[in-house]
Amino acid sequence: MLGKVTAGVGQAGYYLSREGYRQQFLDRLGFIPFPGTLNVLLEEPFSASAPVILIHGFSKGRESFAGCRCYRIRINGLDAVAIRPEKSSHPPELMEVIAPVNLRRALNLKDGDIVEVSTS
């Protein structure tokens, strides 16, 4: 499926850097993600045929962090993971993508670029 790279709100880095998530990403996905997501607006809602990998929510002090569902994908041929937070205001067509590298740099992407997304 195709999608268009879009700007995010800049909050993913905070969440991805929380140790409660980082350790689970390492244990379940095999990598610690770059502290930011690539946002892709798909032509249709994301329908994962790949198995789901659950990242559990946790609490740290007075803060609570929700869990998320992860799906292994390829974006322009590069291995990555789509994440779907349990608490999100994103429409179903908006996918957040993580990888161990900065995807914008690795794939030379800017807002408005079209990318190809496939499940792996």
Side-chain angles (χ1 to χ4, degrees):
M1 79 181 76
L2 297 178
K4 184 188 302 186
V5 174
T6 64
V9 294
Q11 294 180 342
Y14 172 77
Y15 292 101
L16 292 174
S17 66
R18 301 296 95 194
E19 187 57 32
Y21 288 133
R22 287 171 48 92
Q23 190 59 51
Q24 289 186 75
F25 288 137
L26 181 59
D27 293 344
R28 293 185 176 102
L29 302 176
F31 66 89
I32 294 176
F34 172 82
T37 60
L38 178 70
N39 293 325
V40 177
L41 186 60
L42 300 170
E43 296 174 328
E44 57 192 57
F46 178 68
S47 174
S49 58
V52 65
I53 301 163
L54 296 176
I55 302 296
H56 300 288
F58 61 94
S59 294
K60 177 81 174 176
R62 292 186 171 180
E63 287 186 287
S64 291
F65 299 88
C68 62
R69 295 177 182 274
C70 297
Y71 306 90
R72 293 194 187 277
I73 63 166
R74 292 183 64 78
I75 185 159
N76 284 5
L78 187 69
D79 289 335
V81 173
I83 60 172
R84 306 297 283 182
E86 290 174 357
K87 292 183 181 180
S88 175
S89 59
H90 292 320
E93 298 84 14
L94 186 65
M95 177 178 16
E96 290 185 89
V97 182
I98 61 172
V101 298
N102 180 327
L103 288 167
R104 281 183 181 264
R105 285 191 192 129
L107 297 171
N108 194 28
L109 297 172
K110 62 185 181 309
D111 288 350
D113 284 349
I114 302 299
V115 293
E116 183 177 356
V117 177
S118 61
T119 55
S120 56

